[in-house]
Amino acid sequence: MAATDLERFSNEEKRNLSLGGHVGFDSLPDQLVSKSVTQGFSFNILCVGETGIGKSTLMNTLFNTTFETEEASHYESVVRLRPRTYDLQESNVHLKLTIVDAVGFGDQINKDERPIVEYIDTQFENYLQEELKIRRSLFNYHDTRIHVCLYFITPTGHSLKSLDLVTMKKLDSKVNIIPIIAKADTISKSELHKFKIKVMSELVSNGVQIYQFPTDDEAVAEINSVMNAHLPFAVVGSTEEVKVGNKLVRARQYPWGVVQVENESHCDFVKLREMLIRVNMEDLREQTHTRHYELYRRCKLEEMGFKDTDPDSQPFSLQETYETKRKEFLGELQRKEEEMRQMFVNKVKETEAELKEKERELHEKFEHLKRIHQEEKWKVEEKRKELEEEMNAFNLRRVAVETLQSQSLQATSQQPLKKDKDRKN
Ligand code: GTP
Ligand code: MG
């Protein structure tokens, strides 16, 4: 369609018509609700905070149940993300809740936030891969994208740790962050007030974007804007029940008194539950999809070479991009193949030359040994000849000596006979 046609089409006046009777499309919202309820919902919470800060206790308190928990050791070699999924039901609404713990985070050695970022990206990538499939099944796909990151701040009363600032800064473009001051019963009221102000000013001065409860929907605008001013929520978690008056309430009991979890003058637990679960759960899911996932998807597709418009602002065809990328890929493949082939030929040549050199060396060695052997042989032959001559000479001498000996023996044996003869005469 030409640009002018488009303009005319969009400027075309829409006429309001009144209906003659009830048609029924006013039931659309009900249909939507009914469909969503049948499908069920998924909600994924990431808990980031140092070991033992009270993450599991708060989750148990928030959902009024006991999730399986196992204490993390302080000696984990790396930060490990541990997701656990539970099926919960309230009235006829099914919620597939995934709680992801960043195990080992904030311990002396494993301060690194990289595994957390990688985990969030992997969930986005899995969703993107499902979206890019020819046969998509997003309808029953288990969406594991993180909808909210509860960032547990240690109630030091001082300032945020640099690790907290660095981590939140790395995460803020990827996930909705709700900072909470954990174990708020361990800090005094006046100190807590100052600490909250300090935390917020540090977040602002470091450009950390935390999740803001939306104020564009009239129904919740007022409560959300009031709650935005209460951030970060200072919470207390407990699964213990204590009798206050004639009621059993969730609380932490101390020798000097009782901290009631759901008492708004004791802590902000109720505010957190209201904001996270009862008022803004859907907005958190929506923000994850429309803001954080959209950003990941855009960067990823751009990285892969896809664009919406070319440099002349003309719409970019997916087919063209694919063809260009395919050509680039095939070219690169050919180049790599040629490189490999050349490398192989060179290697063969090198090996051949090496083998030849080795053969030559061996031949030389053989010739050398042959020469030495020949010389040795000659020497032995000469020695043998010498010895033979010596033996001959020796034998001659021996024969001569023997002859002489026998002659002298003969002579000595004849002499007494002569003497006898002489005497007889
Ligand atoms: P790992 O999973 O091992 O990292 O610990 P975690 O962060 O899940 O902490 P967990 O909930 O296991 O709580 C650790 C300890 O802190 C337990 O003894 C809790 O009773 C205590 N605790 C939890 N929440 C609070 C709180 O709000 N105030 C106080 N004072 N203690 C708390
Ligand atoms: Mg835990």
Side-chain angles (χ1 to χ4, degrees):
M1 203 184 286
T4 44
D5 288 345
L6 260 174
E7 270 164 34
R8 199 159 357 108
F9 185 74
S10 56
N11 290 338
E12 211 170 88
E13 250 179 54
K14 290 186 195 88
R15 285 178 298 158
N16 283 328
L17 293 179
S18 54
L19 305 170
H22 181 241
V23 177
F25 60 77
D26 60 351
S27 72
L28 260 175
D30 300 332
Q31 291 175 33
L32 205 64
V33 169
S34 154
K35 194 174 157 202
S36 301
V37 168
T38 322
Q39 262 181 24
F41 300 86
S42 68
F43 192 61
N44 307 321
I45 305 178
L46 168 68
C47 293
V48 181
E50 63 187 47
T51 307
I53 190 72
K55 302 182 287 291
S56 307
T57 311
L58 190 77
M59 285 302 112
N60 288 342
T61 321
L62 266 177
F63 289 93
N64 204 7
T65 183
T66 312
F67 298 114
E68 44 178 330
T69 49
E70 115 205 359
E71 262 180 43
S73 133
H74 281 277
Y75 305 104
E76 295 271 345
S77 54
V78 283
V79 176
R80 178 167 58 85
L81 279 291
R82 185 182 57 198
R84 289 215 167 115
T85 303
Y86 309 89
D87 276 317
L88 307 179
Q89 188 180 355
E90 192 167 44
S91 311
N92 62 340
V93 178
H94 289 267
L95 181 71
K96 198 180 266 232
L97 177 73
T98 302
I99 299 174
V100 186
D101 250 330
V103 181
F105 175 78
D107 278 341
Q108 289 311 304
I109 314 166
N110 336 309
K111 293 181 169 177
D112 217 330
E113 80 295 333
R114 269 176 298 178
I116 305 175
V117 175
E118 272 166 28
Y119 181 86
I120 295 173
D121 280 347
T122 308
Q123 312 319 308
F124 284 150
E125 184 59 34
N126 292 346
Y127 192 86
L128 181 63
Q129 288 305 323
E130 186 62 36
E131 253 191 359
L132 294 178
K133 274 185 189 169
I134 292 175
R135 287 166 192 244
R136 300 183 291 180
S137 54
L138 289 169
F139 167 73
N140 56 5
Y141 174 79
H142 179 204
D143 187 0
T144 54
R145 294 172 299 174
I146 299 294
H147 299 119
V148 65
C149 163
L150 291 182
Y151 197 96
F152 290 68
I153 299 167
T154 317
T156 57
H158 289 265
S159 52
L160 278 172
K161 294 181 197 166
S162 54
L163 172 69
D164 295 331
L165 284 170
V166 169
T167 308
M168 281 196 257
K169 188 79 203 117
K170 287 267 164 67
L171 296 182
D172 70 356
S173 60
K174 297 185 176 288
V175 67
N176 300 311
I177 302 176
I178 300 186
I180 51 181
I181 298 170
K183 298 191 179 178
D185 53 329
T186 60
I187 185 168
S188 78
K189 197 173 169 182
S190 57
E191 276 178 339
L192 179 64
H193 181 65
K194 282 189 210 143
F195 189 46
K196 273 190 173 191
I197 295 171
K198 185 108 197 236
V199 167
M200 282 316 282
S201 78
E202 278 185 337
L203 289 177
V204 171
S205 61
N206 285 280
V208 178
Q209 296 273 321
I210 58 167
Y211 173 71
Q212 292 292 307
F213 304 118
T215 49
D216 43 8
D217 177 355
E218 265 177 39
V220 289
E222 199 182 328
I223 181 163
N224 277 352
S225 57
V226 171
M227 289 299 151
N228 277 329
H230 272 92
L231 285 168
F233 294 137
V235 296
V236 173
S238 173
T239 41
E240 209 182 312
E241 294 209 310
V242 177
K243 199 157 189 193
V244 176
N246 54 2
K247 258 174 70 187
L248 267 181
V249 293
R250 256 171 315 145
R252 298 188 76 82
Q253 200 165 16
Y254 295 104
W256 54 88
V258 172
V259 181
Q260 296 169 33
V261 169
E262 295 185 47
N263 186 329
E264 287 206 55
S265 62
H266 289 191
C267 74
D268 300 331
F269 172 81
V270 172
K271 294 189 182 76
L272 173 68
R273 189 179 57 195
E274 283 291 311
M275 289 295 98
L276 179 70
I277 302 175
R278 299 188 183 168
V279 181
N280 296 306
M281 199 184 241
E282 184 47 31
D283 185 68
L284 285 161
R285 285 159 34 89
E286 201 181 298
Q287 290 286 323
T288 302
H289 187 69
T290 55
R291 222 174 104 213
H292 302 301
Y293 170 65
E294 206 55 32
L295 180 65
Y296 177 84
R297 183 180 171 277
R298 200 184 72 210
C299 295
K300 195 71 202 220
L301 293 183
E302 277 174 1
E303 211 176 88
M304 286 160 78
F306 293 109
K307 291 183 204 109
D308 286 334
T309 52
D310 65 13
D312 310 320
S313 302
Q314 291 302 310
F316 216 72
S317 131
L318 201 69
Q319 179 69 22
E320 270 173 37
T321 315
Y322 171 74
E323 281 301 330
T324 328
K325 277 277 141 193
R326 193 164 169 271
K327 272 187 198 141
E328 267 174 34
F329 175 74
L330 286 178
E332 181 72 359
L333 200 73
Q334 249 173 4
R335 201 181 55 74
K336 281 244 157 67
E337 234 177 60
E338 181 55 30
E339 228 177 70
M340 294 270 282
R341 206 183 58 79
Q342 200 53 45
M343 221 161 76
F344 181 72
V345 169
N346 289 347
K347 259 269 146 333
V348 168
K349 274 185 190 160
E350 267 173 36
T351 319
E352 242 175 41
E354 269 172 29
L355 277 173
K356 269 195 183 139
E357 178 63 21
K358 283 244 155 57
E359 197 183 311
R360 197 187 55 76
E361 276 173 16
L362 268 174
H363 194 72
E364 258 178 25
K365 221 174 189 166
F366 174 71
E367 285 298 320
H368 179 68
L369 283 173
K370 212 167 114 183
R371 250 194 332 269
I372 290 175
H373 176 71
Q374 196 62 42
E375 277 168 15
E376 290 286 320
K377 212 169 132 187
W378 286 335
K379 274 183 198 161
V380 169
E381 191 61 28
E382 259 168 40
K383 207 87 189 150
R384 196 178 61 80
K385 272 184 194 158
E386 270 174 30
L387 279 172
E388 250 174 34
E389 273 166 22
E390 263 177 40
M391 278 242 308
N392 286 344
F394 174 75
N395 281 341
L396 281 177
R397 271 205 302 276
R398 194 169 58 108
V399 170
V401 169
E402 275 172 6
T403 327
L404 271 175
Q405 264 178 351
S406 66
Q407 274 175 2
S408 70
L409 244 159
Q410 253 179 2
T412 43
S413 62
Q414 274 172 3
Q415 250 173 7
L417 280 174
K418 203 180 160 194
K419 269 183 192 168
D420 280 350
K421 248 187 210 174
D422 288 346
R423 229 178 303 157
K424 276 176 193 170
N425 290 338

